[in-house]
Amino acid sequence: MFNWTATQRNVAFASFASWTLDAFDFFILVFVLSDLAQYFHTSVSDVSLAIMLTLAVRPIGALLFGRLAEKYGRRPILMLNIVMFSAFELLSAWSPTFTAFLGFRVIYGVAMGGIWGVASSLALETIPDRSRGLMSGIFQAGYPCGYLLASVIFGLFFETVGWRGMFLIGALPILLLPFIYFKVPESPVWLAARERKESNALLPIIRQHWKICIYMVLLMACFNFFSHGTQDLYPTFLKVQHQFDPHTVSIIAISYNIAAMLGGITFGALSERIGRKRAIILASFLALPVLPLWAFSSGSWMIGIGAFLMQFMVQGAWGVVPTYLTELVPANARAVLPGFVYQLGNLIASVNATVQSRIAEAHGGNYGLGMAIVAGTVAVLICVLVAFGRETRGIEISGAAARESS
């Protein structure tokens, strides 16, 4: 990383920041589920539909913005994407009714769906090949970093600004645009492909590689159940089941998101040494013995330790995902296909919050039980699916040598 050029570092920062601020906007919602339920006179499980709808429409955004990025370049479409999700985050704050709020979250979900594929392709096509595992971990760490920012903002400002103020703060990602415009160049891989006039038609690529596409969708469904199943209802679990105040909830969320960032970078870098598959399986398997401490312990200290360890493992496995998916797909589909299969997995997993909240309501408000069932099941499934996948470490995708001399 220290041998990267200034341009490569700018691209890495912009991609990381884009995913961080996108996640920040999404996770604002998970901190105010119970407050929205009270304001709109409905249940937490009904409000959790907003999470489900946001996740369900993200494949549309991944396909739409991914195709635009293949045609017009990663950089301009990333900027367009940021404008859109910031705008609809802002509109969410002004929702006059619950129906309007759900509508704004749907359109926000479309905008959110494009960021991961466009930003990850820009980063992984720009940095040196030898640093791809590390960059993958850094990029994916933007997701818990966004959660961390939401945790801090919630702890500092919620009691002053309320839920509407939280969504107003969520419009701040638009401030990233000037940096991208002035400091971030287009992907050199995309520029080279445009000069060669390579075809980037999606359907022929999917037909040719349909088996790996199905595999990636199933894998991403499990991964999204893994992350959303351990994150989305956790603040509600702390607030409702354990009756922790906003300050305690914020401190615990800050700690487990720091762990998530460390885990993503650690296992992303480790994947360059032991391989992508082994790194993912190791992190997923180590989440299993943490389950009892994470979901069924009592007291803020024990729960905090369990949450720290769980997110280190969950996001450790996720830290390998951006580079693993990028290496699995053809060069002329990297902006659209990894993001598309990722978001299709999100579509399958979009029922997570509603399912978990219904399990909790059926068992006397036991959110820990619903979260543990989901997390334990998908941790095992990820280990099995990845074991049958192919190893991709060492694949060259960026032609980095030419860039490193620039």
PDB file of all heavy atoms in Angstrom, residues 277-295:
ATOM      1  N   LYS A 277     -10.237 -18.888  -0.619  1.00  0.00           N
ATOM      2  CA  LYS A 277     -11.146 -19.863  -0.034  1.00  0.00           C
ATOM      3  C   LYS A 277     -10.827 -20.133   1.433  1.00  0.00           C
ATOM      4  O   LYS A 277     -11.727 -20.129   2.288  1.00  0.00           O
ATOM      5  CB  LYS A 277     -11.092 -21.171  -0.829  1.00  0.00           C
ATOM      6  CG  LYS A 277     -11.686 -21.086  -2.224  1.00  0.00           C
ATOM      7  CD  LYS A 277     -11.477 -22.367  -3.023  1.00  0.00           C
ATOM      8  CE  LYS A 277     -12.015 -23.580  -2.310  1.00  0.00           C
ATOM      9  NZ  LYS A 277     -11.886 -24.808  -3.110  1.00  0.00           N
ATOM     10  N   ARG A 278      -9.589 -20.376   1.746  1.00  0.00           N
ATOM     11  CA  ARG A 278      -9.222 -20.687   3.124  1.00  0.00           C
ATOM     12  C   ARG A 278      -9.515 -19.526   4.061  1.00  0.00           C
ATOM     13  O   ARG A 278      -9.954 -19.730   5.203  1.00  0.00           O
ATOM     14  CB  ARG A 278      -7.743 -21.064   3.194  1.00  0.00           C
ATOM     15  CG  ARG A 278      -7.417 -22.434   2.601  1.00  0.00           C
ATOM     16  CD  ARG A 278      -5.944 -22.734   2.731  1.00  0.00           C
ATOM     17  NE  ARG A 278      -5.609 -24.039   2.167  1.00  0.00           N
ATOM     18  CZ  ARG A 278      -4.373 -24.520   2.075  1.00  0.00           C
ATOM     19  NH1 ARG A 278      -3.347 -23.784   2.531  1.00  0.00           N
ATOM     20  NH2 ARG A 278      -4.149 -25.705   1.548  1.00  0.00           N
ATOM     21  N   ALA A 279      -9.280 -18.305   3.594  1.00  0.00           N
ATOM     22  CA  ALA A 279      -9.528 -17.136   4.435  1.00  0.00           C
ATOM     23  C   ALA A 279     -11.017 -17.001   4.755  1.00  0.00           C
ATOM     24  O   ALA A 279     -11.409 -16.732   5.898  1.00  0.00           O
ATOM     25  CB  ALA A 279      -9.011 -15.876   3.748  1.00  0.00           C
ATOM     26  N   ILE A 280     -11.879 -17.196   3.743  1.00  0.00           N
ATOM     27  CA  ILE A 280     -13.322 -17.093   3.960  1.00  0.00           C
ATOM     28  C   ILE A 280     -13.811 -18.197   4.900  1.00  0.00           C
ATOM     29  O   ILE A 280     -14.575 -17.942   5.844  1.00  0.00           O
ATOM     30  CB  ILE A 280     -14.080 -17.173   2.617  1.00  0.00           C
ATOM     31  CG1 ILE A 280     -13.804 -15.926   1.770  1.00  0.00           C
ATOM     32  CG2 ILE A 280     -15.585 -17.316   2.860  1.00  0.00           C
ATOM     33  CD1 ILE A 280     -14.368 -16.003   0.358  1.00  0.00           C
ATOM     34  N   ILE A 281     -13.375 -19.426   4.654  1.00  0.00           N
ATOM     35  CA  ILE A 281     -13.822 -20.556   5.475  1.00  0.00           C
ATOM     36  C   ILE A 281     -13.363 -20.392   6.916  1.00  0.00           C
ATOM     37  O   ILE A 281     -14.116 -20.646   7.859  1.00  0.00           O
ATOM     38  CB  ILE A 281     -13.305 -21.889   4.880  1.00  0.00           C
ATOM     39  CG1 ILE A 281     -14.018 -22.171   3.555  1.00  0.00           C
ATOM     40  CG2 ILE A 281     -13.505 -23.045   5.858  1.00  0.00           C
ATOM     41  CD1 ILE A 281     -13.453 -23.363   2.790  1.00  0.00           C
ATOM     42  N   LEU A 282     -12.126 -19.952   7.108  1.00  0.00           N
ATOM     43  CA  LEU A 282     -11.599 -19.777   8.457  1.00  0.00           C
ATOM     44  C   LEU A 282     -12.430 -18.751   9.241  1.00  0.00           C
ATOM     45  O   LEU A 282     -12.836 -19.007  10.391  1.00  0.00           O
ATOM     46  CB  LEU A 282     -10.138 -19.323   8.382  1.00  0.00           C
ATOM     47  CG  LEU A 282      -9.441 -19.054   9.726  1.00  0.00           C
ATOM     48  CD1 LEU A 282      -9.391 -20.335  10.561  1.00  0.00           C
ATOM     49  CD2 LEU A 282      -8.034 -18.501   9.488  1.00  0.00           C
ATOM     50  N   ALA A 283     -12.695 -17.607   8.639  1.00  0.00           N
ATOM     51  CA  ALA A 283     -13.455 -16.562   9.331  1.00  0.00           C
ATOM     52  C   ALA A 283     -14.883 -17.022   9.631  1.00  0.00           C
ATOM     53  O   ALA A 283     -15.401 -16.810  10.736  1.00  0.00           O
ATOM     54  CB  ALA A 283     -13.477 -15.282   8.496  1.00  0.00           C
ATOM     55  N   SER A 284     -15.527 -17.678   8.652  1.00  0.00           N
ATOM     56  CA  SER A 284     -16.909 -18.133   8.845  1.00  0.00           C
ATOM     57  C   SER A 284     -16.997 -19.196   9.930  1.00  0.00           C
ATOM     58  O   SER A 284     -17.913 -19.175  10.772  1.00  0.00           O
ATOM     59  CB  SER A 284     -17.471 -18.677   7.528  1.00  0.00           C
ATOM     60  OG  SER A 284     -17.432 -17.695   6.516  1.00  0.00           O
ATOM     61  N   PHE A 285     -16.059 -20.132   9.921  1.00  0.00           N
ATOM     62  CA  PHE A 285     -16.072 -21.206  10.913  1.00  0.00           C
ATOM     63  C   PHE A 285     -15.861 -20.660  12.327  1.00  0.00           C
ATOM     64  O   PHE A 285     -16.510 -21.106  13.284  1.00  0.00           O
ATOM     65  CB  PHE A 285     -14.999 -22.234  10.576  1.00  0.00           C
ATOM     66  CG  PHE A 285     -14.923 -23.371  11.558  1.00  0.00           C
ATOM     67  CD1 PHE A 285     -15.847 -24.400  11.513  1.00  0.00           C
ATOM     68  CD2 PHE A 285     -13.936 -23.402  12.539  1.00  0.00           C
ATOM     69  CE1 PHE A 285     -15.793 -25.447  12.427  1.00  0.00           C
ATOM     70  CE2 PHE A 285     -13.873 -24.428  13.459  1.00  0.00           C
ATOM     71  CZ  PHE A 285     -14.806 -25.464  13.398  1.00  0.00           C
ATOM     72  N   LEU A 286     -14.982 -19.685  12.478  1.00  0.00           N
ATOM     73  CA  LEU A 286     -14.684 -19.133  13.799  1.00  0.00           C
ATOM     74  C   LEU A 286     -15.841 -18.323  14.376  1.00  0.00           C
ATOM     75  O   LEU A 286     -15.855 -18.014  15.575  1.00  0.00           O
ATOM     76  CB  LEU A 286     -13.419 -18.272  13.740  1.00  0.00           C
ATOM     77  CG  LEU A 286     -12.102 -19.035  13.536  1.00  0.00           C
ATOM     78  CD1 LEU A 286     -10.931 -18.074  13.408  1.00  0.00           C
ATOM     79  CD2 LEU A 286     -11.860 -20.012  14.687  1.00  0.00           C
ATOM     80  N   ALA A 287     -16.829 -17.967  13.529  1.00  0.00           N
ATOM     81  CA  ALA A 287     -18.013 -17.262  14.044  1.00  0.00           C
ATOM     82  C   ALA A 287     -18.895 -18.185  14.876  1.00  0.00           C
ATOM     83  O   ALA A 287     -19.618 -17.721  15.771  1.00  0.00           O
ATOM     84  CB  ALA A 287     -18.820 -16.676  12.887  1.00  0.00           C
ATOM     85  N   LEU A 288     -18.840 -19.490  14.627  1.00  0.00           N
ATOM     86  CA  LEU A 288     -19.744 -20.433  15.293  1.00  0.00           C
ATOM     87  C   LEU A 288     -19.557 -20.493  16.807  1.00  0.00           C
ATOM     88  O   LEU A 288     -20.543 -20.412  17.551  1.00  0.00           O
ATOM     89  CB  LEU A 288     -19.609 -21.823  14.667  1.00  0.00           C
ATOM     90  CG  LEU A 288     -20.069 -21.933  13.204  1.00  0.00           C
ATOM     91  CD1 LEU A 288     -19.727 -23.296  12.627  1.00  0.00           C
ATOM     92  CD2 LEU A 288     -21.580 -21.679  13.118  1.00  0.00           C
ATOM     93  N   PRO A 289     -18.322 -20.645  17.318  1.00  0.00           N
ATOM     94  CA  PRO A 289     -18.183 -20.707  18.782  1.00  0.00           C
ATOM     95  C   PRO A 289     -18.482 -19.385  19.491  1.00  0.00           C
ATOM     96  O   PRO A 289     -18.614 -19.367  20.723  1.00  0.00           O
ATOM     97  CB  PRO A 289     -16.721 -21.114  18.981  1.00  0.00           C
ATOM     98  CG  PRO A 289     -16.016 -20.741  17.727  1.00  0.00           C
ATOM     99  CD  PRO A 289     -17.037 -20.912  16.639  1.00  0.00           C
ATOM    100  N   VAL A 290     -18.597 -18.300  18.724  1.00  0.00           N
ATOM    101  CA  VAL A 290     -18.891 -16.992  19.328  1.00  0.00           C
ATOM    102  C   VAL A 290     -20.400 -16.797  19.539  1.00  0.00           C
ATOM    103  O   VAL A 290     -20.819 -15.950  20.326  1.00  0.00           O
ATOM    104  CB  VAL A 290     -18.319 -15.854  18.446  1.00  0.00           C
ATOM    105  CG1 VAL A 290     -18.626 -14.482  19.029  1.00  0.00           C
ATOM    106  CG2 VAL A 290     -16.814 -16.025  18.269  1.00  0.00           C
ATOM    107  N   LEU A 291     -21.229 -17.593  18.864  1.00  0.00           N
ATOM    108  CA  LEU A 291     -22.677 -17.401  18.879  1.00  0.00           C
ATOM    109  C   LEU A 291     -23.286 -17.293  20.291  1.00  0.00           C
ATOM    110  O   LEU A 291     -24.067 -16.364  20.547  1.00  0.00           O
ATOM    111  CB  LEU A 291     -23.377 -18.531  18.110  1.00  0.00           C
ATOM    112  CG  LEU A 291     -23.430 -18.405  16.583  1.00  0.00           C
ATOM    113  CD1 LEU A 291     -23.994 -19.672  15.974  1.00  0.00           C
ATOM    114  CD2 LEU A 291     -24.268 -17.211  16.176  1.00  0.00           C
ATOM    115  N   PRO A 292     -22.973 -18.203  21.221  1.00  0.00           N
ATOM    116  CA  PRO A 292     -23.612 -18.107  22.542  1.00  0.00           C
ATOM    117  C   PRO A 292     -23.303 -16.795  23.272  1.00  0.00           C
ATOM    118  O   PRO A 292     -24.200 -16.191  23.875  1.00  0.00           O
ATOM    119  CB  PRO A 292     -23.036 -19.314  23.306  1.00  0.00           C
ATOM    120  CG  PRO A 292     -22.619 -20.270  22.243  1.00  0.00           C
ATOM    121  CD  PRO A 292     -22.135 -19.418  21.109  1.00  0.00           C
ATOM    122  N   LEU A 293     -22.049 -16.359  23.198  1.00  0.00           N
ATOM    123  CA  LEU A 293     -21.662 -15.115  23.860  1.00  0.00           C
ATOM    124  C   LEU A 293     -22.332 -13.926  23.204  1.00  0.00           C
ATOM    125  O   LEU A 293     -22.774 -12.980  23.876  1.00  0.00           O
ATOM    126  CB  LEU A 293     -20.135 -14.965  23.812  1.00  0.00           C
ATOM    127  CG  LEU A 293     -19.519 -13.768  24.545  1.00  0.00           C
ATOM    128  CD1 LEU A 293     -19.788 -13.852  26.043  1.00  0.00           C
ATOM    129  CD2 LEU A 293     -18.017 -13.690  24.267  1.00  0.00           C
ATOM    130  N   TRP A 294     -22.449 -13.956  21.898  1.00  0.00           N
ATOM    131  CA  TRP A 294     -22.990 -12.847  21.114  1.00  0.00           C
ATOM    132  C   TRP A 294     -24.506 -12.676  21.287  1.00  0.00           C
ATOM    133  O   TRP A 294     -25.011 -11.564  21.407  1.00  0.00           O
ATOM    134  CB  TRP A 294     -22.640 -13.080  19.641  1.00  0.00           C
ATOM    135  CG  TRP A 294     -23.294 -12.178  18.656  1.00  0.00           C
ATOM    136  CD1 TRP A 294     -23.021 -10.865  18.426  1.00  0.00           C
ATOM    137  CD2 TRP A 294     -24.333 -12.529  17.731  1.00  0.00           C
ATOM    138  NE1 TRP A 294     -23.825 -10.379  17.420  1.00  0.00           N
ATOM    139  CE2 TRP A 294     -24.628 -11.383  16.976  1.00  0.00           C
ATOM    140  CE3 TRP A 294     -25.027 -13.719  17.454  1.00  0.00           C
ATOM    141  CZ2 TRP A 294     -25.604 -11.386  15.976  1.00  0.00           C
ATOM    142  CZ3 TRP A 294     -25.995 -13.712  16.465  1.00  0.00           C
ATOM    143  CH2 TRP A 294     -26.279 -12.557  15.740  1.00  0.00           C
ATOM    144  N   ALA A 295     -25.240 -13.781  21.314  1.00  0.00           N
ATOM    145  CA  ALA A 295     -26.700 -13.711  21.279  1.00  0.00           C
ATOM    146  C   ALA A 295     -27.386 -13.990  22.613  1.00  0.00           C
ATOM    147  O   ALA A 295     -28.529 -13.575  22.808  1.00  0.00           O
ATOM    148  CB  ALA A 295     -27.242 -14.677  20.226  1.00  0.00           C
TER     149      ALA A 295
END
